[in-house]
Amino acid sequence: MTMDMTTMGSGALVAMGVYHLAIFVFALLGIAASIKYLRS
């Protein structure tokens, strides 16, 4: 792999950001679903 560090670094940073955002969204959906389930 002959990539320079800046390209690889920013790509990894964006991938990690998307990954954490997806986890955050799934956690929110899970919490909202459990609240709806508990209140019904």
Side-chain angles (χ1 to χ4, degrees):
M1 288 179 64
T2 52
M3 259 195 217
D4 49 295
M5 283 302 286
T6 50
T7 327
M8 206 186 79
S10 60
L13 205 69
V14 169
M16 275 189 80
V18 171
Y19 181 68
H20 284 115
L21 193 71
I23 291 175
F24 182 67
V25 168
F26 278 119
L28 278 180
L29 287 172
I31 290 165
S34 59
I35 288 171
K36 272 189 171 182
Y37 177 75
L38 286 169
R39 288 181 66 174
S40 60

Coordinates of all heavy atoms in Angstrom, one line a residue:
M1 N 0.8 -1.2 0.0 CA 0.0 0.0 0.0 C 0.9 1.2 0.0 O 1.6 1.5 1.0 CB -0.9 0.0 1.2 CG -2.0 -1.0 1.1 SD -3.1 -1.1 2.5 CE -3.9 0.5 2.5
T2 N 0.8 2.0 -1.1 CA 1.7 3.2 -1.2 C 0.8 4.5 -1.1 O 1.0 5.4 -1.9 CB 2.4 3.2 -2.5 OG1 1.4 3.0 -3.6 CG2 3.4 2.1 -2.6
M3 N 0.0 4.5 -0.1 CA -0.8 5.7 0.2 C 0.0 6.6 1.1 O 0.6 6.2 2.0 CB -2.1 5.4 0.9 CG -3.3 5.3 0.0 SD -4.8 5.3 1.0 CE -5.9 4.2 0.0
D4 N -0.2 7.9 1.0 CA 0.4 8.8 1.9 C -0.5 9.0 3.2 O -1.7 8.7 3.1 CB 0.7 10.2 1.3 CG -0.5 10.8 0.6 OD1 -0.9 10.2 -0.4 OD2 -1.0 11.8 1.0
M5 N 0.1 9.3 4.3 CA -0.6 9.3 5.6 C -1.8 10.2 5.6 O -2.8 9.9 6.3 CB 0.4 9.7 6.7 CG 1.3 8.5 7.1 SD 0.4 7.0 7.6 CE -0.1 7.5 9.2
T6 N -1.8 11.4 4.9 CA -2.9 12.3 5.0 C -4.2 11.7 4.4 O -5.2 11.8 5.0 CB -2.5 13.6 4.3 OG1 -2.1 13.3 3.0 CG2 -1.5 14.4 5.0
T7 N -4.1 11.1 3.3 CA -5.2 10.5 2.6 C -5.8 9.4 3.5 O -7.0 9.3 3.7 CB -4.9 9.9 1.2 OG1 -3.9 10.8 0.6 CG2 -6.1 9.9 0.3
M8 N -4.9 8.5 3.9 CA -5.3 7.4 4.8 C -5.9 7.8 6.1 O -6.9 7.4 6.5 CB -4.1 6.5 5.0 CG -4.5 5.0 5.3 SD -3.1 4.0 5.8 CE -2.9 4.5 7.5
G9 N -5.3 8.9 6.7 CA -5.8 9.4 8.0 C -7.2 10.0 7.9 O -8.0 9.6 8.7
S10 N -7.4 10.8 6.9 CA -8.7 11.4 6.8 C -9.8 10.4 6.4 O -10.9 10.5 6.9 CB -8.7 12.5 5.7 OG -8.3 12.0 4.4
G11 N -9.4 9.4 5.6 CA -10.3 8.4 5.2 C -10.7 7.6 6.4 O -11.9 7.3 6.6
A12 N -9.8 7.2 7.3 CA -10.0 6.4 8.5 C -10.9 7.3 9.4 O -11.8 6.8 10.1 CB -8.7 6.0 9.1
L13 N -10.6 8.6 9.5 CA -11.3 9.5 10.4 C -12.8 9.5 10.0 O -13.7 9.4 10.8 CB -10.7 10.9 10.4 CG -10.9 11.7 11.6 CD1 -10.2 11.2 12.8 CD2 -10.5 13.2 11.3
V14 N -13.1 9.7 8.7 CA -14.4 9.7 8.2 C -15.1 8.4 8.4 O -16.3 8.4 8.9 CB -14.4 10.1 6.7 CG1 -15.8 9.9 6.1 CG2 -14.0 11.5 6.5
A15 N -14.4 7.3 8.2 CA -15.0 6.0 8.4 C -15.4 5.8 9.9 O -16.5 5.3 10.2 CB -14.1 4.9 8.0
M16 N -14.5 6.2 10.8 CA -14.8 6.1 12.2 C -16.0 7.0 12.6 O -16.8 6.6 13.4 CB -13.6 6.5 13.0 CG -12.6 5.4 13.2 SD -11.3 5.8 14.4 CE -12.1 5.6 15.9
G17 N -16.0 8.2 12.0 CA -17.2 9.1 12.3 C -18.5 8.5 11.9 O -19.5 8.5 12.6
V18 N -18.5 7.9 10.7 CA -19.7 7.3 10.2 C -20.1 6.1 11.1 O -21.3 5.9 11.4 CB -19.6 6.9 8.7 CG1 -20.7 6.0 8.2 CG2 -19.4 8.1 7.8
Y19 N -19.1 5.3 11.4 CA -19.3 4.2 12.3 C -19.9 4.6 13.6 O -20.9 4.0 14.1 CB -18.0 3.5 12.5 CG -18.0 2.2 13.3 CD1 -18.6 1.1 12.8 CD2 -17.4 2.2 14.5 CE1 -18.6 -0.1 13.6 CE2 -17.4 1.0 15.3 CZ -18.0 -0.1 14.8 OH -18.0 -1.2 15.6
H20 N -19.4 5.6 14.3 CA -19.9 6.0 15.6 C -21.3 6.6 15.4 O -22.1 6.5 16.3 CB -18.9 7.0 16.2 CG -17.7 6.4 16.8 ND1 -16.5 6.6 16.3 CD2 -17.6 5.5 17.8 CE1 -15.6 5.9 17.0 NE2 -16.2 5.2 17.9
L21 N -21.5 7.3 14.3 CA -22.8 7.9 14.1 C -23.9 6.8 13.9 O -25.0 6.9 14.5 CB -22.8 8.8 12.8 CG -24.0 9.7 12.6 CD1 -24.0 10.9 13.6 CD2 -23.9 10.3 11.2
A22 N -23.5 5.8 13.2 CA -24.5 4.6 13.0 C -24.8 4.0 14.4 O -25.9 3.7 14.7 CB -23.9 3.6 12.1
I23 N -23.7 3.8 15.2 CA -24.0 3.2 16.5 C -24.9 4.1 17.4 O -25.8 3.6 18.0 CB -22.6 3.0 17.3 CG1 -21.8 1.9 16.6 CG2 -22.8 2.6 18.7 CD1 -20.5 1.7 17.1
F24 N -24.6 5.4 17.3 CA -25.4 6.4 18.1 C -26.9 6.3 17.6 O -27.8 6.3 18.5 CB -24.8 7.8 17.8 CG -25.5 8.9 18.6 CD1 -25.4 8.9 20.0 CD2 -26.2 9.8 17.9 CE1 -26.1 9.9 20.7 CE2 -26.9 10.9 18.6 CZ -26.8 10.9 20.0
V25 N -27.1 6.3 16.3 CA -28.5 6.2 15.8 C -29.2 5.0 16.2 O -30.3 5.0 16.6 CB -28.5 6.4 14.2 CG1 -29.8 6.1 13.6 CG2 -28.0 7.8 13.8
F26 N -28.5 3.8 16.1 CA -29.1 2.5 16.5 C -29.4 2.5 18.0 O -30.4 2.0 18.4 CB -28.1 1.4 16.1 CG -28.3 0.9 14.7 CD1 -27.2 1.0 13.8 CD2 -29.5 0.5 14.2 CE1 -27.3 0.6 12.5 CE2 -29.6 0.1 12.9 CZ -28.5 0.2 12.0
A27 N -28.5 3.1 18.8 CA -28.8 3.2 20.2 C -30.0 4.1 20.5 O -30.9 3.7 21.3 CB -27.6 3.8 20.9
L28 N -30.2 5.2 19.8 CA -31.3 6.1 20.0 C -32.6 5.3 19.6 O -33.6 5.4 20.3 CB -31.2 7.3 19.1 CG -30.4 8.5 19.7 CD1 -30.3 9.6 18.7 CD2 -30.9 8.9 21.0
L29 N -32.6 4.6 18.5 CA -33.7 3.8 18.0 C -34.1 2.8 19.0 O -35.3 2.5 19.3 CB -33.4 3.2 16.7 CG -33.4 4.1 15.5 CD1 -32.9 3.4 14.2 CD2 -34.8 4.7 15.2
G30 N -33.1 2.1 19.6 CA -33.3 1.1 20.6 C -34.0 1.6 21.8 O -34.9 1.1 22.4
I31 N -33.5 2.8 22.3 CA -34.0 3.5 23.5 C -35.5 3.9 23.2 O -36.3 3.7 24.0 CB -33.1 4.7 23.9 CG1 -31.8 4.2 24.4 CG2 -33.9 5.5 24.9 CD1 -30.8 5.3 24.5
A32 N -35.7 4.5 22.0 CA -37.1 4.9 21.7 C -38.0 3.7 21.6 O -39.1 3.8 22.1 CB -37.0 5.6 20.4
A33 N -37.6 2.6 21.0 CA -38.4 1.4 20.9 C -38.7 0.9 22.3 O -39.8 0.5 22.6 CB -37.7 0.4 20.1
S34 N -37.7 0.8 23.2 CA -37.9 0.3 24.5 C -38.9 1.2 25.3 O -39.7 0.7 26.1 CB -36.6 0.1 25.3 OG -35.9 1.3 25.4
I35 N -38.8 2.5 25.2 CA -39.7 3.4 25.9 C -41.1 3.2 25.4 O -42.0 3.1 26.2 CB -39.2 4.9 25.7 CG1 -37.9 5.1 26.5 CG2 -40.3 5.8 26.1 CD1 -37.3 6.5 26.1
K36 N -41.3 3.1 24.1 CA -42.6 2.8 23.5 C -43.2 1.5 24.1 O -44.3 1.4 24.4 CB -42.6 2.8 22.0 CG -42.7 4.1 21.3 CD -42.9 3.9 19.8 CE -43.3 5.2 19.1 NZ -43.5 5.0 17.7
Y37 N -42.3 0.5 24.1 CA -42.7 -0.8 24.6 C -43.1 -0.8 26.0 O -44.1 -1.4 26.5 CB -41.6 -1.8 24.3 CG -41.9 -3.2 24.8 CD1 -42.8 -4.0 24.2 CD2 -41.3 -3.7 26.0 CE1 -43.1 -5.3 24.6 CE2 -41.5 -5.0 26.5 CZ -42.5 -5.8 25.8 OH -42.7 -7.0 26.3
L38 N -42.3 -0.1 26.8 CA -42.6 0.0 28.3 C -43.9 0.8 28.6 O -44.6 0.5 29.5 CB -41.4 0.6 29.0 CG -40.2 -0.3 29.1 CD1 -39.0 0.5 29.6 CD2 -40.5 -1.5 30.1
R39 N -44.1 1.9 27.8 CA -45.3 2.7 28.1 C -46.6 2.1 27.6 O -47.7 2.5 28.1 CB -45.1 4.1 27.4 CG -44.0 4.9 28.2 CD -43.8 6.3 27.6 NE -45.0 7.1 27.7 CZ -45.1 8.3 27.4 NH1 -44.1 9.0 26.9 NH2 -46.2 9.0 27.6
S40 N -46.5 1.2 26.7 CA -47.8 0.6 26.1 C -48.4 -0.4 27.1 O -47.7 -1.0 27.8 CB -47.5 0.0 24.8 OG -46.6 -1.1 25.0

